[in-house]
């Protein structure tokens, strides 16, 4: 079955002024759609057509670079849309206490996560993951992600991710990636991040 572009649960304008509507529209309807189209073309007629995108990522070493780039692109963006769009939400009690105990608190999480995002050279993603029941922060290049078997230095299951490809911020922020990374924290859907966290512990 072919992969399809997921609908957003909020409007493109909903993340303004932190992420502008035009960026959201192009990012979702053009960039994410292109990953899906290219992924579907790359797996046409192969066993991967029967798999979930998570299972494709977990076994990505079996597939072509096109599947790695576009399958990663589909997984990463699908997660990204879901963990955005609910300003004002807060981490659940369980997640908040894990952030305090394992990452040194919310301010330290933001500092370390933004450092991972800002220092990722070129294009990639910063992640908050769960590995063996514990929170960790790391980053991957291009459209790789922590589920992929080829990724060795950033393992785990992502519960929060930030796209630091220029297409994610250039219209509004140009070269100011740090400002985009700071603004990101205003538009997170902590209910969704908490749900993902509690499903893994
Ligand atoms: Mn993107």
């Amino acid at each position: 079955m072919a992969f399809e572009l997921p609908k957003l649960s909020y409007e493109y304008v909903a993340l303004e002024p932190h992420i502008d509507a035009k960026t959201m529209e192009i990012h979702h309807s053009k960039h994410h759609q292109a990953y899906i189209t290219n992924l579907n073309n790359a797996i046409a007629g192969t066993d991967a057509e029967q798999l979930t995108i998570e299972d494709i990522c977990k076994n990505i070493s079996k597939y072509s670079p096109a599947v790695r780039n576009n399958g990663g692109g589909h997984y990463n963006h699908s997660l990204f849309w879901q963990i955005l769009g609910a300003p004002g939400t807060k981490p659940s009690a369980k997640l908040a206490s894990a952030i305090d105990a394992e990452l040194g608190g919310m301010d330290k999480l933001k500092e370390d996560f933004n450092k991972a995002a800002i220092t990722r050279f070129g294009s990639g993603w910063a992640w908050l993951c769960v590995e063996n029941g514990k929170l960790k922060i790391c980053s991957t290049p291009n459209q790789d992600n922590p589920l992929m078997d080829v990724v060795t230095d950033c393992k785990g299951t992502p519960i929060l991710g930030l796209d630091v490809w220029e297409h994610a911020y250039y219209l509004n922020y140009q070269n100011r990636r740090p400002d985009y990374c700071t603004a990101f924290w205003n538009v997170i859907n902590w209910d969704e991040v908490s749900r993902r966290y509690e499903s893994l512990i």
Side-chain angles (χ1 to χ4, degrees):
M1 198 177 76
F3 291 104
E4 294 180 357
L5 186 67
K7 286 195 175 7
L8 302 189
S9 63
Y10 46 86
E11 302 295 323
Y12 290 137
V13 73
L15 309 185
E16 290 197 351
H18 307 290
I19 303 177
D20 64 284
K22 191 69 180 173
T23 295
M24 285 297 295
E25 179 184 355
I26 296 170
H27 200 177
H28 177 254
S29 70
K30 305 294 186 191
H31 289 279
H32 190 177
Q33 180 62 61
Y35 293 120
I36 292 168
T37 301
N38 293 334
L39 172 63
N40 286 334
N41 289 338
I43 64 173
T46 76
D47 69 313
E49 284 188 304
Q50 313 304 322
L51 300 177
T52 64
I53 193 59
E54 288 81 3
D55 283 337
I56 291 173
C57 288
K58 288 173 184 172
N59 296 287
I60 204 70
S61 60
K62 294 181 182 175
Y63 301 104
S64 67
V67 176
R68 178 173 173 173
N69 292 333
N70 294 289
H74 178 41
Y75 174 85
N76 297 348
H77 289 84
S78 297
L79 179 143
F80 190 51
W81 311 133
Q82 288 184 17
I83 59 88
L84 294 174
T89 55
K90 299 270 185 258
S92 68
K94 278 185 184 169
L95 177 55
S97 75
I99 290 169
D100 287 345
E102 296 165 24
L103 297 177
M106 180 59 81
D107 288 346
K108 188 72 163 58
L109 160 59
K110 290 180 181 178
E111 180 185 333
D112 291 346
F113 185 99
N114 284 5
K115 185 178 179 191
I118 292 162
T119 58
R120 167 50 60 191
F121 183 76
S123 297
W125 291 73
W127 304 103
L128 175 62
C129 299
V130 176
E131 184 184 30
N132 300 323
K134 297 290 184 192
L135 293 170
K136 62 184 279 189
I137 293 163
C138 54
S139 79
T140 53
N142 305 315
Q143 294 296 354
D144 285 356
N145 65 52
L147 293 181
M148 290 182 171
D149 60 359
V150 294
V151 171
T152 56
D153 56 349
C154 181
K155 305 293 292 180
T157 303
I159 62 171
L160 179 70
L162 177 59
D163 187 345
V164 294
W165 283 58
E166 283 190 344
H167 70 225
Y169 62 86
Y170 203 85
L171 286 181
N172 194 32
Y173 292 96
Q174 294 83 48
N175 62 321
R176 291 176 285 116
R177 187 191 287 187
D179 291 352
Y180 160 73
C181 293
T182 299
F184 162 71
W185 297 95
N186 294 307
V187 289
I188 293 174
N189 182 346
W190 282 107
D191 293 340
E192 174 62 15
V193 180
S194 301
R195 185 193 69 74
R196 287 172 179 262
Y197 173 71
E198 292 188 17
S199 76
L200 296 168
I201 55 163

